[in-house]
Amino acid sequence: MNVDQVRIFGRRLAGVSWRLARHEWTLAALAALLLAVVLTWPTLRDPASTIPQDTGDPTLQAWQVAWGGHALLTNPFQVWHSNTFYPEPYTYAYSDTLLGYAPFGMIGDGPVAAVVRYNLLYLLTHALALFGAYALARQVGAGRAGAAVAGVSFAYAPWKLAQAGHLHVLSIGGIALALAMLARGHGWSLRHGHRPDRVRPGWVVAGWAVAAWQVTLGFGIGLPFAYALGVLCLGSAVTYGVVWRRRRARPAVPRRLLLADLAGGIGFAGVTLAMAAPYFEVVARNPSGRRTVAQIEMFSPPWRGFVTAPPESWLWGERHEAARATLGFPGEMTLLPGVVLLSLAMAGIFFSVWRLRHRLMLAGAALVSMALAAGTTFGGDGNPGYVTLVEHAPGWDGVRTPGRLVLWTTLLLGLLAAGALTVREPASRAARDPQPAPGSTGEQPAEPGAEAELAVGPGAQPALRPAASAVPVEAEREAQAALRPAGSTVPAASAAKVESAVSAGSAVPGSRPLRRRRNRRGRCCGRRRGPGRRPSRRPPGSRPRSGTVSGGGWPGWRWWCRWCWSCWRGSTAPRTCRCRSNRPRCAG
């Protein structure tokens, strides 16, 4: 490479680096890291000799990360048979393992390295939670301010202060990030619905991979996440079947997207079953490991626990001291998502950029998550509720702390708040109306072969001819005289008015604006002939576009445009067709 080529390569590399550095996701990741350093201080002030909250569970989890790395380096097939309670097998599955953090355990050796690793992971979990919730809110259609509120509330909710010693509870960023990736891969958002042109199978595979990694961090958080993904998949399948039944035609699904979902779903299921097998073995060897309803009742929070802050909260800690005194186990029963978050979410139910049905769905899901987080206190005995899952759903009898499901309440409330803080952007005129051709007056150009006529319209200023096609006045007069019936005369005064109006480009007195003859009432739209059937007539050589029954349209719409095959819900069509040809309203 000569000097010029090296210079050109350097300029291109600098341009790509600059664009990458100022990208929204780069800035969001850096902001999440910086905020994590500030809000978890003094974690990084002395990471080799301090540890968050206490020396109980944090030191246990620091050993778990170290053992995972040691097992992967020495004997990966013996990872579940740890050096604790030797020679008992499967002792690594006596608690949530944090196996997904095992690669960090490969770095360093000894207790000091274990403490440093734990402090770094403690910092990164908060940053990932903020970034994941921000990405999810942005994907579903929220603005930057609303997404920031959703991210901060999900990462630094007051209830998480009481869980500072439980790294597996704080590690929830993969949940939001996986949902964001899956939604992006399927081209779906709350604000814009499903957009097939934005389907990205690569993002789908990445979303399933992140979801599988989240499960490896522990079943206390991963089990409800796996069930939530199962519910979403079941809902998608039911929706697909309903659409198929209503259209009487199978909706088209991109082959690559289907393969990505199948591969990702099978991989996720395989990882989940592989993680669950040791726990089932532990329960089979130690039947006392199953959680009873009496044990779950000890950790089930009352309803006032959802508005009570832990003592670590600098704003509400002292103010809620009397309320905490009435709780049986304050560490698992102080579940305040945030006063500001609750206020914004309440406002988001009434004023939001989301559609009403989406707001009601988010609010309903938040209430369901609260009911499950209440454990046995919901309905008096928790049945139906959390106790129902414990008695009938596999795996739930191993989770004794239902209050940790408040993380789903926090995430859903954050999405509601993001909708309230997102400004509804009005559709621009350029998006509503077609762009005028260069040199034209802004009116729709007449199609070839369409005749023009004058239509009554007070104050209308039609463009009688394109600016580029100038016709001599004398030739036009001779043509009009040839087409005029014999014996008919035009008053000189009227002819002078018309000629002056045409030359000035203004409306002709007593005239109507031009309209294409084929766009008259009753010609452009027609009533649907039946479910899944096409209109009886369409222009020669035209073909259906996407948005029709045969191309992936929505069933149950009664009016169709016979020129572009657009359709609308209801008994009448709008004044403007989707093909931007200003079709008139259809009567009936």
Side-chain angles (χ1 to χ4, degrees):
M1 296 178 64
N2 53 27
V3 179
D4 295 336
Q5 290 177 344
V6 172
R7 187 179 303 171
I8 293 174
F9 177 77
R11 291 178 179 177
R12 291 179 179 177
L13 183 61
V16 172
S17 302
W18 172 245
R19 287 193 298 270
L20 181 62
R22 65 178 183 176
H23 196 275
E24 177 184 357
W25 301 120
T26 304
L27 297 177
L30 294 177
L33 287 173
L34 179 61
L35 194 61
V37 172
V38 173
L39 294 183
T40 60
W41 191 262
T43 300
L44 292 185
R45 186 177 59 186
D46 192 4
S49 59
T50 60
I51 204 164
Q53 199 176 48
D54 54 42
T55 58
D57 289 338
T59 54
L60 168 65
Q61 292 171 342
W63 167 82
Q64 288 176 329
V65 176
W67 171 259
H70 169 75
L72 292 182
L73 289 175
T74 56
N75 192 355
F77 297 100
Q78 298 295 322
V79 64
W80 296 104
H81 310 301
S82 66
N83 57 356
T84 57
F85 303 102
Y86 185 82
E88 287 292 323
Y90 299 103
T91 53
Y92 195 49
Y94 282 3
S95 179
D96 282 333
T97 61
L98 296 175
L99 187 60
Y101 291 146
F104 289 89
M106 299 179 182
I107 305 173
D109 190 14
V112 176
V115 173
V116 173
R117 282 194 299 264
Y118 184 89
N119 286 324
L120 292 178
L121 289 174
Y122 181 80
L123 173 72
L124 293 176
T125 52
H126 288 84
L128 181 60
L130 193 155
F131 182 80
Y134 178 87
L136 178 59
R138 288 289 288 159
Q139 173 58 35
V140 298
R144 291 184 176 87
V149 170
V152 172
S153 62
F154 188 63
Y156 303 101
W159 65 269
K160 297 184 72 175
L161 294 173
Q163 303 290 340
H166 299 148
L167 187 62
H168 62 290
V169 180
L170 301 178
S171 302
I172 57 178
I175 295 176
L177 187 60
L179 293 176
M181 288 181 172
L182 290 173
R184 186 178 184 86
H186 289 85
W188 183 86
S189 67
L190 282 177
R191 191 171 184 181
H192 305 289
H194 179 248
R195 291 179 286 184
D197 58 320
R198 299 202 174 188
V199 170
R200 300 293 184 270
W203 282 106
V204 174
V205 175
W208 283 112
V210 174
W213 172 77
Q214 177 65 46
V215 172
T216 62
L217 298 179
F219 274 105
I221 303 299
L223 180 69
F225 178 47
Y227 273 87
L229 286 179
V231 170
L232 290 177
C233 293
L234 181 61
S236 301
V238 171
T239 304
Y240 184 85
V242 170
V243 173
W244 189 346
R245 179 182 178 87
R246 293 182 63 181
R247 292 181 182 175
R248 299 185 180 179
R250 182 174 61 87
V253 177
R255 183 178 180 181
R256 294 180 59 190
L257 178 63
L258 183 61
L259 293 177
D261 276 320
L262 289 177
I266 292 174
F268 174 80
V271 172
T272 303
L273 293 177
M275 289 290 299
Y279 290 93
F280 286 122
E281 185 66 25
V282 169
V283 172
R285 292 172 176 269
N286 304 279
S288 59
R290 296 183 182 273
R291 307 301 185 183
T292 63
V293 177
Q295 291 175 331
I296 296 173
E297 186 177 0
M298 295 173 55
F299 298 95
S300 297
W303 289 108
R304 62 180 177 274
F306 292 95
V307 292
T308 305
E312 292 84 358
S313 176
W314 64 272
L315 182 60
W316 303 105
E318 295 181 358
R319 294 178 173 85
H320 292 176
E321 184 177 0
R324 287 194 304 272
T326 61
L327 301 177
F329 200 90
E332 297 289 344
M333 297 182 180
T334 50
L335 306 176
L336 177 66
V339 176
V340 176
L341 178 63
L342 289 173
S343 303
L344 291 176
M346 186 65 66
I349 298 177
F350 302 98
F351 309 99
S352 177
V353 73
W354 314 135
R355 295 181 178 90
L356 178 60
R357 65 177 181 272
H358 293 155
R359 284 178 260 166
L360 296 179
M361 288 172 57
L362 290 174
L367 292 177
V368 170
S369 63
M370 288 182 62
L372 293 177
T376 59
T377 60
F378 175 70
D381 58 353
N383 194 5
Y386 192 85
V387 176
T388 307
L389 296 177
V390 172
E391 293 177 349
H392 301 286
W396 288 87
D397 56 353
V399 183
R400 63 176 179 175
T401 51
R404 295 173 182 178
L405 293 177
V406 74
L407 74 91
W408 293 95
T409 309
T410 307
L411 182 60
L412 294 168
L413 292 178
L415 294 180
L416 277 174
L421 295 175
T422 301
V423 179
R424 186 185 298 273
E425 299 177 359
S428 61
R429 184 172 182 178
R432 295 192 307 265
D433 301 329
Q435 292 291 340
S440 65
T441 58
E443 291 289 313
Q444 292 290 339
E447 297 185 4
E451 299 178 10
E453 62 178 359
L454 293 178
V456 177
Q461 299 182 3
L464 298 181
R465 64 175 65 90
S469 59
V471 181
V473 179
E474 292 79 3
E476 185 176 3
R477 288 178 180 176
E478 293 177 1
Q480 291 178 355
L483 295 175
R484 189 180 301 120
S488 61
T489 59
V490 179
S494 300
K497 291 181 180 180
V498 172
E499 183 177 354
S500 62
V502 170
S503 60
S506 59
V508 178
S511 67
R512 297 183 299 171
L514 286 178
R515 179 181 297 170
R516 287 180 290 176
R517 180 163 294 179
R518 75 172 187 177
N519 289 340
R520 289 179 177 177
R521 184 185 302 274
R523 291 292 303 277
C524 68
C525 296
R527 189 179 297 276
R528 186 175 178 179
R529 305 302 180 190
R533 296 184 59 185
R534 302 179 181 178
S536 58
R537 292 179 295 175
R538 59 187 176 93
S542 63
R543 56 182 179 178
R545 299 183 181 180
S546 60
T548 65
V549 168
S550 60
W554 196 266
W557 292 353
R558 299 180 55 189
W559 289 96
W560 298 72
C561 176
R562 292 183 178 176
W563 304 114
C564 71
W565 284 50
S566 297
C567 50
W568 301 273
R569 186 184 299 276
S571 59
T572 58
R575 294 186 179 275
T576 302
C577 177
R578 291 184 180 179
C579 61
R580 307 186 186 278
S581 56
N582 293 327
R583 305 292 165 85
R585 183 188 297 276
C586 293

